Amino acid sequence: MEKSLNSSSMPEFKGNLRSKLPKAGTTIFSIMSGLANEVGAINLSQGFPGFPVSEKLIELYYVALKSGHNQYAPMQGIFTLRECIAEKMEELYSCNYNPETEITITAGGTQALYTAITAFVQEGDEVIVLEPSYDSYVPAILLAGGISVHVPLQPPNYSIPWDEVRKLVTQKTRMIIINTPQNPTGSLLTAKDMLHLEKLTDGTDIIVLSDEVYEHILFDGYEHQSVARFPKLAARSLLVFSFGKTFHATGWKVGYCLGPEQLMKEFRKVHQFTVFSVNTALQHALATFMLNKENYIGLPSFYQEKRDYFQKLLKGSKFKILPCLGSYFQLLDYSKISQEKDTDYAIRLTKEHGVASIPVSVFYSVPKDYHLLRFCFAKENDQLEKAAERLMKL
Ligand code: PMP
């Protein structure tokens, strides 16, 4: 007789388990998406684009597979792709990264972040994290034996209190992590912020890890202030990017990391024993696709239209719309509707009103509840319309 798929067949592990991440459970993203599927809600919780990948890019991938690009790529990534990235960085941010020694292709942004943290953070080192923040930073710091030191940022603008940050810098500070445009808040770091950071780290051994995966998603004419624009800062920084965000292909998990040779050498030592190398055929496809700048230059206006449309649909609702200058996330304040905890309200909103979001308190190490929910607006208009119709009724 066939065994039921649900029956557990492995004997239990009876040994003493010492979890390296005792507090980590299922992520809120999986929980909210699971709940959205279960109750048939519109899922604006997880941050993935609801648009198809370009047919041209899929074709290029197919051609690369058919042409035999199916064995290991070089550890650092194929040269033509690294060369395209170097050219793009020079054109957009007037900086020079050597494709031979200063650029590495990674299995997405998350791997690049993990590898950078693992390469530089040692037992007892402190890492400054501005919160709310993307959820992979702190576990990676803990796995490296480091200590995360948190700087809470306040809504609605989430500006960085540099005097507070300065007070937290000690002899043990090894790294500062920044993220612009920022997930989950949609805020940006300005040129002034970068100069503050430059001054703060001047004369120290601190490494800056700059998460710039949303580099092409900025609105209202703002320009992306990449760390790469600031040579003194760039000299101590590793920058992380993701093709998933730029080409609506988060499932493909390809990204890259940039940094000066001395830092990149250490990064690659860890990279080669983590993934060694990244999907070869995809790298070939991306290298050809990137040659046409139209494939990413239009992103700000594409997403600005989405943001404006979502905000317009919500005009007159009881939700307060927070500023969103970049990324594809909109924060909404529900305090005029309910005083429930944001984690409870997000679940109730999904179950009873059919719209899934992410409660912002989960992006803090010590949860701070400002009654805010994060909605991803990288979705087709009909999805945004249906979601807004439901939210307007509250
Ligand atoms: N950084 C931030 C701020 C993100 O939002 C994400 C994706 N959600 C990543 C990094 C990871 O990118 P990838 O999917 O390429 O691993």
Side-chain angles (χ1 to χ4, degrees), residues 47 107-111 113 134-137 179 181-184 211-214 240-245 250 253-255 328-329 374:
T110 310
Q111 185 242 309
L113 292 163
Y134 180 55
D135 64 338
S136 84
Y137 306 155
N179 173 211
Q182 217 254 6
N183 174 13
D211 180 344
E212 305 186 15
V213 300
Y214 298 102
V240 170
F241 299 87
S242 169
F243 287 113
K245 308 291 173 191
T250 55
K253 298 298 286 186
V254 185
Y328 43 53
F329 300 111
R374 189 199 78 173

Side-chain angles (χ1 to χ4, degrees), residues 211-393:
D211 180 344
E212 305 186 15
V213 300
Y214 298 102
E215 70 172 323
H216 296 302
I217 312 182
L218 278 84
F219 315 128
D220 307 326
Y222 281 100
E223 284 195 333
H224 176 52
Q225 295 301 329
S226 172
V227 157
R229 290 183 191 267
F230 303 84
K232 260 178 98 175
L233 203 49
R236 61 169 71 253
S237 299
L238 286 163
L239 284 68
V240 170
F241 299 87
S242 169
F243 287 113
K245 308 291 173 191
T246 304
F247 296 140
H248 309 326
T250 55
W252 287 7
K253 298 298 286 186
V254 185
Y256 49 100
C257 184
L258 313 179
E261 186 173 350
Q262 299 73 12
L263 299 188
M264 190 46 69
K265 224 167 153 180
E266 294 303 314
F267 179 93
R268 286 180 178 176
K269 285 183 192 171
V270 178
H271 176 76
Q272 71 180 336
F273 297 121
T274 317
V275 292
F276 179 66
S277 69
V278 173
N279 189 320
T280 314
L282 254 182
Q283 292 190 56
H284 282 276
L286 288 164
T288 311
F289 195 64
M290 269 185 83
L291 292 175
N292 183 358
K293 295 183 189 74
E294 295 305 314
N295 289 327
Y296 52 83
I297 288 301
L299 269 190
S301 56
F302 173 79
Y303 274 117
Q304 181 163 332
E305 256 177 51
K306 287 280 166 201
R307 179 204 63 172
D308 290 350
Y309 190 53
F310 190 49
Q311 289 189 351
K312 192 175 132 209
L313 290 170
L314 290 171
K315 226 171 166 192
S317 81
K318 286 198 184 137
F319 288 96
K320 187 171 155 212
I321 299 170
L322 267 68
C324 167
L325 306 179
S327 84
Y328 43 53
F329 300 111
Q330 175 66 59
L331 297 190
L332 297 180
D333 178 332
Y334 63 86
S335 49
K336 274 197 190 153
I337 303 168
S338 167
Q339 290 301 307
E340 277 165 278
K341 264 168 52 178
D342 65 355
T343 40
D344 293 342
Y345 187 64
I347 289 172
R348 201 161 67 78
L349 192 62
T350 311
K351 283 186 177 166
E352 292 179 15
H353 303 284
V355 184
S357 59
I358 301 285
V360 175
S361 67
V362 304
F363 296 95
Y364 290 89
S365 306
V366 180
K368 295 216 165 18
D369 188 354
Y370 294 100
H371 294 164
L372 293 169
L373 301 176
R374 189 199 78 173
F375 295 80
C376 173
F377 56 79
K379 306 290 170 192
E380 297 288 5
N381 284 356
D382 67 320
Q383 292 292 297
L384 298 179
E385 284 157 13
K386 274 190 210 149
E389 197 184 314
R390 295 172 188 187
L391 297 174
M392 289 298 287
K393 288 187 186 145

